[in-house]
């Protein structure tokens, strides 16, 4: 099972990567900071200084239909913000 699911590519994370050398990833909810650090270093060949994580619970929604109330939820996810050492760069668009 892979620790890194996909990188977060938004305007805010792109600005963070350019200004502060921080990159965001969606990661496996059961992964810890040490596993995330090792996975980023192995995948992208950079040295990681700091890892911060955020857990997001599922969003529960209900709607009213002809057949009654339908309940549903989104998946729980975990984000990791990774600080990379000065001079190292992760290029997400290099292998397209």
């Amino acid at each position: 099972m892979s620790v890194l699911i996909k990188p977060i590519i938004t305007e805010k994370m792109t600005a963070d990567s350019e200004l502060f050398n921080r990159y965001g990833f969606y990661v496996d909810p059961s992964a810890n900071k040490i596993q995330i650090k090792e996975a980023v270093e192995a995948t992208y060949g950079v040295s990681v200084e700091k890892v911060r994580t955020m857990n997001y619970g599922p969003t529960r929604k209900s709607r009213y239909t002809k057949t009654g109330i339908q309940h549903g939820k989104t998946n729980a996810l975990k984000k990791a913000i990774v600080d990379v050492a000065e001079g190292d760069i992760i290029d997400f668009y290099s292998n397209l």
Side-chain angles (χ1 to χ4, degrees), residues 4 23 25 36-48 84-92:
L4 299 176
Y23 298 92
F25 296 94
I36 295 167
K37 178 181 178 179
E38 291 171 354
V40 170
E41 288 176 344
T43 305
Y44 295 104
V46 296
S47 57
V48 175
V84 178
E86 193 68 34
D88 287 344
I89 295 173
I90 296 176
D91 188 14
F92 295 124

Side-chain angles (χ1 to χ4, degrees), residues 1-50:
M1 182 163 80
S2 178
V3 174
L4 299 176
I5 297 173
K6 66 179 181 178
I8 301 172
I9 302 175
T10 59
E11 285 186 42
K12 188 174 184 179
M13 283 311 307
T14 305
D16 257 4
S17 66
E18 291 171 357
L19 296 174
F20 304 112
N21 226 12
R22 291 184 197 138
Y23 298 92
F25 296 94
Y26 289 114
V27 296
D28 182 43
S30 62
N32 60 24
K33 293 182 180 186
I34 297 168
Q35 292 171 338
I36 295 167
K37 178 181 178 179
E38 291 171 354
V40 170
E41 288 176 344
T43 305
Y44 295 104
V46 296
S47 57
V48 175
E49 291 182 348
K50 184 191 245 185

Side-chain angles (χ1 to χ4, degrees), residues 5 26 33 35-36 48 52-53 65 74 76 79 83 87 93:
I5 297 173
Y26 289 114
K33 293 182 180 186
Q35 292 171 338
I36 295 167
V48 175
R52 289 176 296 223
T53 59
T65 61
T74 60
K79 291 182 185 179
D83 284 359
Y93 302 108

Side-chain angles (χ1 to χ4, degrees), residues 62-91:
S62 62
R63 61 185 167 182
Y64 300 97
T65 61
K66 286 192 284 187
T67 59
I69 299 174
Q70 301 291 321
H71 296 287
K73 68 177 183 70
T74 60
N75 293 331
L77 51 95
K78 187 174 194 176
K79 291 182 185 179
I81 307 299
V82 177
D83 284 359
V84 178
E86 193 68 34
D88 287 344
I89 295 173
I90 296 176
D91 188 14

